[in-house]
Amino acid sequence: MRPLTLHQRRQLLAATAASGVIANLEVALRATGLLLTPDVMEAAAGAGATHVCDWLRRRGAAAGTALHVAAAAGHRATCEWLVRSTADGGCGANPSPTAALAALRGGHTALAAWLMRLLQPAPDGSGDGAATADGGGGEAGQLLLPAGQLPAPASVPRFLLLTAVAEGCDLATLQQQLPGAEPAQQGEGEAAASSSSSGSSSGGGGGGAGRSLSVGQCLSLEHYAATAAGSSTPDWREKVVWLLSLLPPPPPCRSQPTGPGYSEAGGDAGSSICMFRMAAARPDAVERFAWLAARGYRPSRSSLGLSAAARAGNVEAVRCLLSLRPDMQLSARAAAAQAAAEGGHVAILAMLHGYGGGSGGSGGADADAAAKGNTCCDADEAAKGEGGAAEPEAPGDPSRPPDRRRHFPLPVSRDQLMVAAKAGHVAAVRWLVQAAAEAAAAQPFAPASHYVQAQGDGHGRSQLQHQRYLDTQLAGWVAEGGSVGLLRWLAERAGAGGGAGAGAGAGAGVGVGTWPWGGAGAGAGAGGSGPEAGNSSRGLVGGGDGGGVGSGGGGGGGFRFTAGTFMAAARGGSEAVLDYLAAECGCDMGQDGEPYALAGANGDLRTLAVLRRLSCPWSAGGRTLTLAVWWPAGGSFTSCAPPVLRWLLAAGVPADWAAARRAARRRGHGAEEVLALLAEAEAEARAAAEAAVAGF
């Protein structure tokens, strides 16, 4: 358990609960040293382990979204137990519309119908299906007929109901809930009937070419079609075609010679904006992209599908989207890069940072190869032949200005490093740090905010201080991610930042140690003779040469582990990192005991024991207990549960009882229990003190 972080131990506990073996779960609880959290119950419910859910309920575990998870997985017995335990006064879950929708998204219509019947407020609530749809779905509900299988109550909006059906159910179920244009065909002329028949034969459900639909109804149908494009059912193509066949033909003003999914403004018309985003998370995303591109659809320049594909780690899907949309916006690529960093997908990071002429090593080559050899490009070339996409301008064509948007390089951002480091992705952090250093070295004439000339003024010192602050931030993120090896690598890399040199000629040295988002370190030297050399101050992700007359100077990179680094490690919960920082690095642990409050807010009793073993100090004036009761500056780590407070009191934490009571009153929910606990502990402490005085 030593190298495991808090997140990894929680994953281990959830996986053990999902296995259904209670004996193993008892061992895992003792080994991980964690309090029971709702995600343990949710994991057991998602696996259908009803007996484990009952064991957890008897130990006070909260249900959380266990009913939703069980409904999505189709476990009817577990759902019934959760509802029944709530009715009996236990910690189960009340029926809710979101649980019914989760069952539909999982394709479990019978379970969804049962959950919806539980939501009926009165016997007459399931009578008029049209009134129910009209009340819950607005404009979209007015084109709906009474639902065939699903007794949808008013608490389930009709729009959300049909979205869930389009996502998780087959075409037949979708047609039962949205019968298409069949009633409208009876009142239309022969032309409308023939067009509807042709839509029915091609899409499998009846067309709506002759219908008069409002803008809201058309947008709803387009949304259902986009949802179907990301459906997990084998007939997702048939669902998309049938839903689109219900739409009327576009008016002449909307007709585009470039296909139904393209607009001259560079965006997309209709549902193609969402189709690629919905399909991007599927394992067969490339196949779906090719199918959509063959029908004339293109992703938008700001497509969220790029982020979805990057988050899923689908390298080929990212290549396909970049080939279908070479002018993808920088903001879309930045969001995708952050998603890839959070998942630790180095190949996608290299592709996105190298795409469009930016630095980043082999990423540019990957993107160029993607634009030539990907399967999506075949459909894209076919679309170009039909006029579906603009031809790229020739590099030397003076008649057309270059599209600078597609060549703007994507920088390494602070957020990318943060999410990769906190998630513990060692390879991604190494790549980002090295890519940022290469980008800084490749830009000798960087913007003014990215460099500083060493002329001995105070500006250089302030920039160096800012560089040290950024280095310390990165160290805290890595410590929270739980990688001792990466901490050592960062320290060794920063330790190479100092140096000295000698030079011939005249001049002042300039040293640049730059983060891509600002901050630099500087060094200079003068005097002596000899070949120019010299390494100036340098941060983790930058470096520069300083030369001058005589002996060159430089400064250290300023990388150091601080009390903030140790606090981040306590929040991350890795015993190996805490041992490394305390024993090998001699890191400052703080004075007020903040690491105890951070670890305790996570319910991490194991890390609390490690902190005591390392002799992490706590406040002699009682501030540690006060922070554990309620910490206003702790972000989401605002308070510790009563079992953690009992552990701290049993371990002998000093207490300021008046301050602790004031903090407890600010907790809101659960304040009475904490106040009672503090009163009991204070009485015991007073009795112990009186007994000690009497014995003396």
Side-chain angles (χ1 to χ4, degrees):
M1 290 291 172
R2 287 190 72 254
L4 297 185
T5 62
L6 170 70
H7 177 66
Q8 292 168 336
R9 282 182 282 138
R10 282 178 173 171
Q11 286 182 322
L12 175 63
L13 197 59
T16 308
S19 68
V21 182
I22 294 179
N24 291 345
L25 183 56
E26 292 176 339
V27 174
L29 268 175
R30 290 192 299 269
T32 57
L34 297 173
L35 299 181
L36 287 174
T37 52
D39 56 347
V40 182
M41 179 78 81
E42 292 163 6
T50 307
H51 62 292
V52 177
C53 294
D54 184 64
W55 185 87
L56 292 170
R57 179 185 62 84
R58 292 197 301 270
R59 281 153 183 81
T65 60
L67 182 60
H68 307 162
V69 176
H75 299 301
R76 171 74 175 265
T78 304
C79 292
E80 291 177 348
W81 178 87
L82 287 167
V83 173
R84 186 170 59 252
S85 63
T86 302
D88 296 340
C91 61
N94 291 313
S96 65
T98 53
L101 295 176
L104 285 175
R105 286 192 294 269
H108 311 293
T109 55
L111 178 57
W114 175 74
L115 289 170
M116 288 180 184
R117 280 193 292 269
L118 296 178
L119 295 172
Q120 297 289 352
D124 58 346
S126 58
D128 189 2
T132 299
D134 194 29
E139 288 186 356
Q142 295 180 11
L143 66 90
L144 305 174
L145 295 182
Q149 292 183 350
L150 302 175
S155 58
V156 181
R158 196 68 178 157
F159 175 80
L160 297 180
L161 176 72
L162 289 173
T163 300
V165 171
E167 179 179 350
C169 302
D170 57 11
L171 178 60
T173 304
L174 179 61
Q175 289 174 337
Q176 287 178 347
Q177 304 306 316
L178 183 60
E182 293 175 357
Q185 290 179 2
Q186 299 174 1
E188 300 292 341
E190 295 181 0
S194 62
S195 62
S196 300
S197 300
S198 63
S200 174
S201 62
S202 62
R211 301 186 61 185
S212 176
L213 301 180
S214 67
V215 175
Q217 293 168 351
C218 292
L219 291 177
S220 296
L221 287 173
E222 289 178 347
H223 175 78
Y224 304 148
T227 304
S231 173
S232 59
T233 60
D235 58 348
W236 64 270
R237 296 180 184 84
E238 289 75 10
K239 288 193 292 184
V240 173
V241 172
W242 180 75
L243 286 166
L244 292 179
S245 70
L246 303 181
L247 290 169
C253 62
R254 291 185 59 187
S255 300
Q256 298 288 346
T258 55
Y262 179 75
S263 64
E264 293 181 354
D268 300 273
S271 57
S272 65
I273 296 177
C274 299
M275 280 187 175
F276 286 86
R277 175 171 63 88
M278 298 295 187
R282 305 301 309 170
D284 59 341
V286 175
E287 178 185 351
R288 299 190 184 214
F289 291 164
W291 185 83
L292 291 172
R295 297 182 63 85
Y297 290 99
R298 296 181 68 205
S300 65
R301 292 187 60 241
S302 59
S303 175
L304 296 177
L306 193 64
S307 295
R311 185 174 294 106
N314 195 332
V315 180
E316 295 302 322
V318 174
R319 284 177 175 163
C320 183
L321 286 172
L322 291 176
S323 66
L324 289 173
R325 197 49 128 165
D327 57 344
M328 190 73 71
Q329 285 182 351
L330 181 66
S331 59
R333 288 187 283 133
Q338 183 163 347
E342 188 173 5
H345 307 302
V346 179
I348 296 177
L349 281 173
M351 186 187 309
L352 292 169
H353 282 279
Y355 180 77
S359 61
S362 61
D366 292 341
D368 292 340
K372 296 179 181 178
N374 193 270
T375 56
C376 267
C377 294
D378 299 335
D380 194 31
E381 292 297 333
K384 289 179 182 179
E386 298 174 1
E391 292 291 337
E393 66 271 11
D397 187 0
S399 62
R400 300 181 63 182
D403 189 353
R404 298 185 184 276
R405 295 171 300 183
R406 78 175 59 179
H407 298 292
F408 197 83
L410 178 65
V412 175
S413 71
R414 172 185 179 275
D415 290 340
Q416 293 169 24
L417 267 172
M418 180 181 65
V419 296
K422 285 187 175 183
H425 299 305
V426 177
V429 174
R430 284 175 177 261
W431 188 93
L432 287 168
V433 170
Q434 293 172 349
E438 293 173 5
Q443 297 178 7
F445 302 103
S449 61
H450 284 202
Y451 77 101
V452 58
Q453 293 183 350
Q455 300 295 338
D457 56 1
H459 181 62
R461 288 192 297 272
S462 65
Q463 290 288 346
L464 179 58
Q465 291 173 357
H466 184 56
Q467 178 69 54
R468 290 174 176 172
Y469 168 72
L470 294 174
D471 291 348
T472 304
Q473 266 195 322
L474 177 58
W477 300 333
V478 174
E480 187 174 349
S483 174
V484 175
L486 189 54
L487 282 173
R488 286 198 177 100
W489 179 76
L490 291 176
E492 293 170 359
R493 181 179 176 87
V510 176
V512 181
T514 304
W515 289 81
W517 51 87
S529 63
E532 279 196 349
N535 196 1
S536 71
S537 69
R538 162 179 181 173
L540 292 181
V541 295
D545 294 330
V549 181
S551 59
F559 180 73
R560 57 196 175 98
F561 297 125
T562 64
T565 309
F566 194 82
M567 289 169 58
R571 185 167 52 238
S574 172
E575 183 179 357
V577 171
L578 290 170
D579 283 338
Y580 168 74
L581 292 175
E584 298 187 31
C585 302
C587 181
D588 182 13
M589 302 182 191
Q591 300 299 324
D592 288 339
E594 292 94 340
Y596 291 100
L598 291 172
N602 293 328
D604 191 355
L605 301 180
R606 180 183 176 87
T607 298
L608 290 176
V610 171
L611 294 174
R612 290 306 298 146
R613 176 175 62 80
L614 296 175
S615 301
C616 178
W618 48 31
S619 172
R623 179 169 168 77
T624 302
L625 180 62
T626 304
L627 292 177
V629 172
W630 183 71
W631 189 3
S636 59
F637 309 96
T638 54
S639 59
C640 297
V644 175
L645 297 178
R646 293 189 185 95
W647 189 98
L648 289 172
L649 291 168
V653 61
D656 181 347
W657 300 111
R661 284 193 297 270
R662 288 195 299 269
R665 294 188 186 99
R666 299 177 181 177
R667 284 172 64 108
H669 178 70
E672 294 79 7
E673 182 180 2
V674 175
L675 285 171
L677 186 153
L678 292 175
E680 179 183 355
E682 184 179 6
E684 293 178 357
R686 184 178 296 109
E690 292 174 354
V693 171
F696 179 78

